Amino acid sequence: MVMIKLFQKIYELQNKNHFTFSEFTNNLAPFVKIGFNNFIDSEFDDVVDILNGYSFRSNLYQKEGIRIIRITNVQKNKLIDPNPVYYEPNLVENRFMLKENDILISLTGNVGRVAKVTSDFMPCALNQRVGCLRLKNDIIDFDYLYYFLNSPIFENDCVLSSKGLAQK
């Protein structure tokens, strides 16, 4: 029931043309573990690990092995992979291996698309131009972070921040 109410609030806020951060936080406060009246003074990287992907060589792709999650796989609120590519497991460094519920963000092209890794994509590794956020602790609720990163506020900020930075 709580999640249904959370989704309703997010939906209501997303359908407004503009709303303030205060309005956003006041509406969603009941759904956050620590509440907005009990802020914990910490930096974003105290809460999450931020990981970059690797430039896997396409000429080494295989039909089985470790699935490579590429930027084209990261769509708004979901991973898709109609044409999966794989890599030989012993060629993939552990630091590029993804975990279930890692949050992925497109870093070039259509920046700001956010998806999470689900069990049906495992095992998989992070390709270049895709960022990964992995929670370090429970200071912030996973669902809250994930849905905030999928909000128009975050996506619009990413697009505005990337103007003039397109990869050639």
Side-chain angles (χ1 to χ4, degrees), residues 29-46:
F31 306 102
V32 179
K33 283 183 183 177
I34 61 172
F36 288 102
N37 295 325
N38 300 311
F39 280 109
I40 294 175
D41 188 16
S42 63
E43 299 293 323
F44 193 65
D45 61 356
D46 292 335

PDB file of all heavy atoms in Angstrom, residues 29-46:
ATOM      1  N   ALA A  29       8.176  12.937   1.573  1.00  0.00           N
ATOM      2  CA  ALA A  29       8.787  12.727   2.891  1.00  0.00           C
ATOM      3  C   ALA A  29       8.290  11.485   3.628  1.00  0.00           C
ATOM      4  O   ALA A  29       9.092  10.778   4.225  1.00  0.00           O
ATOM      5  CB  ALA A  29       8.612  13.970   3.758  1.00  0.00           C
ATOM      6  N   PRO A  30       7.001  11.180   3.608  1.00  0.00           N
ATOM      7  CA  PRO A  30       6.553  10.004   4.365  1.00  0.00           C
ATOM      8  C   PRO A  30       7.127   8.681   3.874  1.00  0.00           C
ATOM      9  O   PRO A  30       7.054   7.680   4.570  1.00  0.00           O
ATOM     10  CB  PRO A  30       5.027  10.025   4.170  1.00  0.00           C
ATOM     11  CG  PRO A  30       4.702  11.409   3.767  1.00  0.00           C
ATOM     12  CD  PRO A  30       5.898  11.920   3.024  1.00  0.00           C
ATOM     13  N   PHE A  31       7.725   8.679   2.683  1.00  0.00           N
ATOM     14  CA  PHE A  31       8.195   7.432   2.101  1.00  0.00           C
ATOM     15  C   PHE A  31       9.697   7.219   2.253  1.00  0.00           C
ATOM     16  O   PHE A  31      10.229   6.229   1.805  1.00  0.00           O
ATOM     17  CB  PHE A  31       7.827   7.394   0.615  1.00  0.00           C
ATOM     18  CG  PHE A  31       6.367   7.623   0.402  1.00  0.00           C
ATOM     19  CD1 PHE A  31       5.903   8.851  -0.029  1.00  0.00           C
ATOM     20  CD2 PHE A  31       5.456   6.618   0.669  1.00  0.00           C
ATOM     21  CE1 PHE A  31       4.554   9.072  -0.204  1.00  0.00           C
ATOM     22  CE2 PHE A  31       4.109   6.826   0.489  1.00  0.00           C
ATOM     23  CZ  PHE A  31       3.647   8.053   0.060  1.00  0.00           C
ATOM     24  N   VAL A  32      10.388   8.166   2.848  1.00  0.00           N
ATOM     25  CA  VAL A  32      11.842   8.097   2.982  1.00  0.00           C
ATOM     26  C   VAL A  32      12.205   7.597   4.368  1.00  0.00           C
ATOM     27  O   VAL A  32      11.636   8.042   5.355  1.00  0.00           O
ATOM     28  CB  VAL A  32      12.472   9.479   2.713  1.00  0.00           C
ATOM     29  CG1 VAL A  32      13.977   9.427   2.877  1.00  0.00           C
ATOM     30  CG2 VAL A  32      12.101   9.959   1.329  1.00  0.00           C
ATOM     31  N   LYS A  33      13.143   6.670   4.451  1.00  0.00           N
ATOM     32  CA  LYS A  33      13.520   6.061   5.727  1.00  0.00           C
ATOM     33  C   LYS A  33      13.868   7.088   6.793  1.00  0.00           C
ATOM     34  O   LYS A  33      13.395   7.010   7.911  1.00  0.00           O
ATOM     35  CB  LYS A  33      14.725   5.142   5.533  1.00  0.00           C
ATOM     36  CG  LYS A  33      14.421   3.818   4.926  1.00  0.00           C
ATOM     37  CD  LYS A  33      15.688   2.988   4.863  1.00  0.00           C
ATOM     38  CE  LYS A  33      15.423   1.666   4.186  1.00  0.00           C
ATOM     39  NZ  LYS A  33      16.630   0.885   4.059  1.00  0.00           N
ATOM     40  N   ILE A  34      14.729   8.041   6.450  1.00  0.00           N
ATOM     41  CA  ILE A  34      15.217   8.966   7.470  1.00  0.00           C
ATOM     42  C   ILE A  34      14.371  10.219   7.577  1.00  0.00           C
ATOM     43  O   ILE A  34      14.523  10.974   8.515  1.00  0.00           O
ATOM     44  CB  ILE A  34      16.686   9.351   7.217  1.00  0.00           C
ATOM     45  CG1 ILE A  34      16.844  10.059   5.877  1.00  0.00           C
ATOM     46  CG2 ILE A  34      17.595   8.151   7.360  1.00  0.00           C
ATOM     47  CD1 ILE A  34      18.222  10.629   5.654  1.00  0.00           C
ATOM     48  N   GLY A  35      13.491  10.445   6.623  1.00  0.00           N
ATOM     49  CA  GLY A  35      12.641  11.630   6.660  1.00  0.00           C
ATOM     50  C   GLY A  35      13.419  12.882   6.292  1.00  0.00           C
ATOM     51  O   GLY A  35      14.623  12.952   6.434  1.00  0.00           O
ATOM     52  N   PHE A  36      12.724  13.882   5.808  1.00  0.00           N
ATOM     53  CA  PHE A  36      13.386  15.112   5.396  1.00  0.00           C
ATOM     54  C   PHE A  36      13.661  16.037   6.570  1.00  0.00           C
ATOM     55  O   PHE A  36      14.368  17.002   6.434  1.00  0.00           O
ATOM     56  CB  PHE A  36      12.560  15.828   4.322  1.00  0.00           C
ATOM     57  CG  PHE A  36      12.601  15.114   3.014  1.00  0.00           C
ATOM     58  CD1 PHE A  36      11.528  14.338   2.606  1.00  0.00           C
ATOM     59  CD2 PHE A  36      13.714  15.171   2.205  1.00  0.00           C
ATOM     60  CE1 PHE A  36      11.570  13.663   1.405  1.00  0.00           C
ATOM     61  CE2 PHE A  36      13.774  14.489   1.010  1.00  0.00           C
ATOM     62  CZ  PHE A  36      12.694  13.742   0.610  1.00  0.00           C
ATOM     63  N   ASN A  37      13.111  15.751   7.729  1.00  0.00           N
ATOM     64  CA  ASN A  37      13.405  16.560   8.903  1.00  0.00           C
ATOM     65  C   ASN A  37      14.629  16.033   9.644  1.00  0.00           C
ATOM     66  O   ASN A  37      15.075  16.629  10.597  1.00  0.00           O
ATOM     67  CB  ASN A  37      12.193  16.581   9.856  1.00  0.00           C
ATOM     68  CG  ASN A  37      11.017  17.270   9.207  1.00  0.00           C
ATOM     69  OD1 ASN A  37      11.185  18.221   8.462  1.00  0.00           O
ATOM     70  ND2 ASN A  37       9.824  16.778   9.477  1.00  0.00           N
ATOM     71  N   ASN A  38      15.160  14.915   9.208  1.00  0.00           N
ATOM     72  CA  ASN A  38      16.304  14.293   9.867  1.00  0.00           C
ATOM     73  C   ASN A  38      17.426  14.048   8.863  1.00  0.00           C
ATOM     74  O   ASN A  38      17.902  12.943   8.713  1.00  0.00           O
ATOM     75  CB  ASN A  38      15.895  12.956  10.497  1.00  0.00           C
ATOM     76  CG  ASN A  38      14.813  13.118  11.528  1.00  0.00           C
ATOM     77  OD1 ASN A  38      14.926  13.959  12.403  1.00  0.00           O
ATOM     78  ND2 ASN A  38      13.762  12.338  11.405  1.00  0.00           N
ATOM     79  N   PHE A  39      17.830  15.100   8.158  1.00  0.00           N
ATOM     80  CA  PHE A  39      18.877  14.945   7.162  1.00  0.00           C
ATOM     81  C   PHE A  39      20.157  14.420   7.789  1.00  0.00           C
ATOM     82  O   PHE A  39      20.535  14.795   8.894  1.00  0.00           O
ATOM     83  CB  PHE A  39      19.205  16.287   6.487  1.00  0.00           C
ATOM     84  CG  PHE A  39      18.229  16.656   5.420  1.00  0.00           C
ATOM     85  CD1 PHE A  39      17.352  17.694   5.609  1.00  0.00           C
ATOM     86  CD2 PHE A  39      18.208  15.969   4.226  1.00  0.00           C
ATOM     87  CE1 PHE A  39      16.457  18.044   4.626  1.00  0.00           C
ATOM     88  CE2 PHE A  39      17.314  16.314   3.231  1.00  0.00           C
ATOM     89  CZ  PHE A  39      16.442  17.354   3.437  1.00  0.00           C
ATOM     90  N   ILE A  40      20.830  13.559   7.076  1.00  0.00           N
ATOM     91  CA  ILE A  40      22.151  13.100   7.469  1.00  0.00           C
ATOM     92  C   ILE A  40      23.134  13.862   6.599  1.00  0.00           C
ATOM     93  O   ILE A  40      23.017  13.880   5.377  1.00  0.00           O
ATOM     94  CB  ILE A  40      22.291  11.584   7.268  1.00  0.00           C
ATOM     95  CG1 ILE A  40      21.361  10.856   8.232  1.00  0.00           C
ATOM     96  CG2 ILE A  40      23.730  11.148   7.445  1.00  0.00           C
ATOM     97  CD1 ILE A  40      21.317   9.356   8.039  1.00  0.00           C
ATOM     98  N   ASP A  41      24.073  14.508   7.218  1.00  0.00           N
ATOM     99  CA  ASP A  41      25.038  15.327   6.500  1.00  0.00           C
ATOM    100  C   ASP A  41      26.095  14.433   5.871  1.00  0.00           C
ATOM    101  O   ASP A  41      27.010  13.967   6.554  1.00  0.00           O
ATOM    102  CB  ASP A  41      25.685  16.332   7.462  1.00  0.00           C
ATOM    103  CG  ASP A  41      26.555  17.326   6.735  1.00  0.00           C
ATOM    104  OD1 ASP A  41      26.430  17.450   5.503  1.00  0.00           O
ATOM    105  OD2 ASP A  41      27.380  17.977   7.401  1.00  0.00           O
ATOM    106  N   SER A  42      25.928  14.135   4.598  1.00  0.00           N
ATOM    107  CA  SER A  42      26.902  13.297   3.911  1.00  0.00           C
ATOM    108  C   SER A  42      26.923  13.654   2.437  1.00  0.00           C
ATOM    109  O   SER A  42      25.991  14.248   1.912  1.00  0.00           O
ATOM    110  CB  SER A  42      26.579  11.811   4.096  1.00  0.00           C
ATOM    111  OG  SER A  42      25.337  11.502   3.531  1.00  0.00           O
ATOM    112  N   GLU A  43      27.995  13.291   1.792  1.00  0.00           N
ATOM    113  CA  GLU A  43      28.148  13.504   0.361  1.00  0.00           C
ATOM    114  C   GLU A  43      27.550  12.313  -0.384  1.00  0.00           C
ATOM    115  O   GLU A  43      27.419  11.217   0.166  1.00  0.00           O
ATOM    116  CB  GLU A  43      29.635  13.641   0.008  1.00  0.00           C
ATOM    117  CG  GLU A  43      30.313  14.813   0.688  1.00  0.00           C
ATOM    118  CD  GLU A  43      29.804  16.151   0.211  1.00  0.00           C
ATOM    119  OE1 GLU A  43      29.500  16.288  -0.997  1.00  0.00           O
ATOM    120  OE2 GLU A  43      29.699  17.067   1.048  1.00  0.00           O
ATOM    121  N   PHE A  44      27.241  12.525  -1.668  1.00  0.00           N
ATOM    122  CA  PHE A  44      26.646  11.469  -2.472  1.00  0.00           C
ATOM    123  C   PHE A  44      27.544  10.230  -2.501  1.00  0.00           C
ATOM    124  O   PHE A  44      27.071   9.107  -2.395  1.00  0.00           O
ATOM    125  CB  PHE A  44      26.379  11.990  -3.879  1.00  0.00           C
ATOM    126  CG  PHE A  44      25.492  11.098  -4.696  1.00  0.00           C
ATOM    127  CD1 PHE A  44      24.171  10.880  -4.333  1.00  0.00           C
ATOM    128  CD2 PHE A  44      25.977  10.476  -5.826  1.00  0.00           C
ATOM    129  CE1 PHE A  44      23.343  10.057  -5.087  1.00  0.00           C
ATOM    130  CE2 PHE A  44      25.154   9.659  -6.591  1.00  0.00           C
ATOM    131  CZ  PHE A  44      23.841   9.448  -6.216  1.00  0.00           C
ATOM    132  N   ASP A  45      28.854  10.444  -2.604  1.00  0.00           N
ATOM    133  CA  ASP A  45      29.744   9.290  -2.673  1.00  0.00           C
ATOM    134  C   ASP A  45      29.951   8.612  -1.320  1.00  0.00           C
ATOM    135  O   ASP A  45      30.614   7.586  -1.238  1.00  0.00           O
ATOM    136  CB  ASP A  45      31.069   9.618  -3.354  1.00  0.00           C
ATOM    137  CG  ASP A  45      31.874  10.687  -2.643  1.00  0.00           C
ATOM    138  OD1 ASP A  45      31.395  11.254  -1.645  1.00  0.00           O
ATOM    139  OD2 ASP A  45      33.000  10.950  -3.090  1.00  0.00           O
ATOM    140  N   ASP A  46      29.364   9.165  -0.248  1.00  0.00           N
ATOM    141  CA  ASP A  46      29.319   8.442   1.026  1.00  0.00           C
ATOM    142  C   ASP A  46      28.189   7.409   1.016  1.00  0.00           C
ATOM    143  O   ASP A  46      28.184   6.487   1.826  1.00  0.00           O
ATOM    144  CB  ASP A  46      29.066   9.401   2.206  1.00  0.00           C
ATOM    145  CG  ASP A  46      30.239  10.326   2.461  1.00  0.00           C
ATOM    146  OD1 ASP A  46      31.378   9.968   2.102  1.00  0.00           O
ATOM    147  OD2 ASP A  46      30.010  11.415   3.019  1.00  0.00           O
TER     148      ASP A  46
END
